[in-house]
Amino acid sequence: MTGPAPAPRRRLKRWLLAALLPLLAAGCSALPLMSTMNALTAVAAAGSASALGIGDESGSAADIPPRMLTAYKKAATGITGQVPRCKGMTWPVLAGIAKVESNHAAGRSISAAGDIRPKIYGVLLNGSGSGGNTTSFPDTDGGKWDGTASGERAVGPFQFLPSTWESTGRDGNSDGVRDPHNADDAALGAAVYLCGHGRNLTDVAQLRSAILQYNHSGTYADTVLGWISRYRSGAPGNLSGSVATVVNAALAERGAPYSWGGGTTRGRSFGICCTPSGKSGVSVFGFDCSGLTLYAFAKAGIRLPHNADAQAAFGRRIPASLGQDALKAGDLVFFADGSGVIYHVGIALGSGTMVNAPRPGTVVRVDPIDAMSGYAGGARLL
């Protein structure tokens, strides 16, 4: 699924581009992100277990913190001791849920024991409409898990309601406590909840039914199924040569702060002032979108300018009309504004994902290509 078709690109004379580079150094304006919930619905067209890659554990876990991935794999293995009749519980199933619910506890620290801090709380479910909630849920835990006795709010990386956790929660790290704010406990509890009384999750209909039990929304189910598919079939695991050099350099910077104008051939740097919305990178040590790409490609001996629009002049262009399937791991991915000017760039990973430095206030991470608006094709330099 692609963004709006870009208009013809504006042609800038070399001297004008050079004059503008200090102002456009980032080349990554803070345009709004598209909703991942909407962007991934096309992936849900898969209608068979083979289409979803069920049974295949070879997918990419590039965007998952190692400690969270450990929890998912541990829970997928340990489910046989909890729900012996359950079939097809694999780490990508749990990862698909956790990606949508908390982006794998993004921005939190995770201890060796699996404890997540600061704790993850959802909005107060008081029917106010905030965060999309329209139904009021009375308090059931006295604030034990959700930190408030004023009502209920979802907790932890899998966003359990305290009332659900009371019956479903498990002690995944064997410390004697069932804690929804612990990665091992939460992952095992989610596995138990999805397995029910013994579902066969290799059957797409039953897998979808399990996801709908978690959240009764067709869009939600479509999004989770999309992520499960991506985790099962991700590409970065078998790369080699210059492509592997570029991709691995970019992936190694996950978690680096977004800094407008930040990034050099040597790595992270302080940025400049200011974005069109007034955000300064002067005190932020990290990367903007084109800073990340110029750094990663420098690792393979390719020098790029620090500007997304200027980077589009390099390599062999891949038109947007060919669709995202034409992109390969290591390709540059471009996004254009309404006038056709390239405003953003990422590095393709395959399977519709990219390494991305999205905008101020975020970090370098793996995103679906559809997370940014105005898909404008790519370029192959390797």
Side-chain angles (χ1 to χ4, degrees):
M1 186 174 181
T2 61
R9 292 184 57 226
R10 179 177 64 186
R11 292 178 172 83
L12 292 177
K13 291 183 178 181
R14 295 284 181 181
W15 65 266
L16 180 57
L17 180 59
L20 289 174
L21 279 178
L23 297 176
L24 299 176
C28 308
S29 61
L31 295 185
L33 289 175
M34 294 172 62
S35 168
T36 301
M37 294 284 275
N38 294 329
L40 296 179
T41 54
V43 184
S48 66
S50 60
L52 284 171
I54 289 175
D56 176 12
E57 291 280 341
S58 63
S60 167
D63 68 327
I64 305 175
R67 185 59 183 83
M68 291 301 294
L69 181 60
T70 296
Y72 304 156
K73 291 183 174 181
K74 183 178 179 181
T77 302
I79 193 62
T80 54
Q82 301 289 330
V83 189
R85 294 174 56 195
C86 184
K87 294 178 60 178
M89 174 53 69
T90 60
W91 73 258
V93 172
L94 295 170
I97 294 286
K99 174 67 178 181
V100 176
E101 293 294 342
S102 69
N103 195 19
H104 308 299
R108 266 65 175 181
S109 64
I110 310 167
S111 73
D115 294 320
I116 298 169
R117 298 294 183 272
K119 297 177 180 180
I120 303 172
Y121 296 118
V123 299
L124 185 64
L125 300 174
N126 57 6
S128 67
S130 174
N133 84 90
T134 57
T135 304
S136 179
F137 288 82
D139 176 67
T140 63
D141 69 335
K144 177 181 179 180
W145 300 122
D146 63 5
T148 178
S150 299
E152 293 281 82
R153 54 182 179 175
V155 295
F158 284 87
Q159 289 291 275
F160 279 100
L161 286 178
S163 56
T164 304
W165 182 254
E166 186 63 31
S167 59
T168 305
R170 294 295 188 273
D171 179 14
N173 65 350
S174 302
D175 66 351
V177 179
R178 298 182 300 143
D179 184 355
H181 299 286
N182 177 275
D184 294 328
D185 294 2
L188 186 57
V192 169
Y193 192 66
L194 291 166
C195 280
H197 296 296
R199 286 190 177 95
N200 177 6
L201 300 179
T202 64
D203 178 81
V204 173
Q206 292 192 47
L207 176 59
R208 185 179 180 84
S209 179
I211 296 169
L212 286 171
Q213 172 188 270
Y214 207 97
N215 184 324
H216 198 68
S217 160
T219 302
Y220 177 89
D222 291 346
T223 305
V224 171
L225 286 169
W227 278 109
I228 292 172
S229 178
R230 291 172 191 270
Y231 287 131
R232 294 186 188 282
S233 61
N238 58 354
L239 303 180
S240 61
S242 295
V243 173
T245 298
V246 168
V247 168
N248 289 333
L251 287 173
E253 296 301 327
R254 281 174 296 163
Y258 180 100
S259 175
W260 179 261
T264 71
T265 56
R266 296 182 298 277
R268 305 180 192 186
S269 74
F270 289 103
I272 62 173
C273 185
C274 284
T275 72
S277 62
K279 302 293 185 180
S280 175
V282 171
S283 63
V284 183
F285 192 70
F287 295 97
D288 65 14
C289 68
S290 55
L292 177 66
T293 53
L294 79 83
Y295 165 70
F297 276 87
K299 289 290 188 180
I302 297 173
R303 297 297 292 264
L304 294 173
H306 197 155
N307 175 268
D309 191 67
Q311 288 181 4
F314 287 74
R316 179 172 67 83
R317 283 304 300 271
I318 303 167
S321 60
L322 295 180
Q324 295 176 15
D325 288 343
L327 297 173
K328 295 182 179 180
D331 289 344
L332 291 174
V333 187
F334 299 114
F335 303 86
D337 63 19
S339 63
V341 177
I342 302 296
Y343 77 88
H344 193 80
V345 62
I347 298 176
L349 293 176
S351 299
T353 60
M354 64 178 173
V355 188
N356 190 27
R359 65 193 187 283
T362 65
V363 297
V364 174
R365 63 197 190 193
V366 174
D367 274 334
I369 291 173
D370 286 333
M372 306 298 298
S373 63
Y375 173 64
R380 186 160 297 150
L381 284 68
L382 303 170

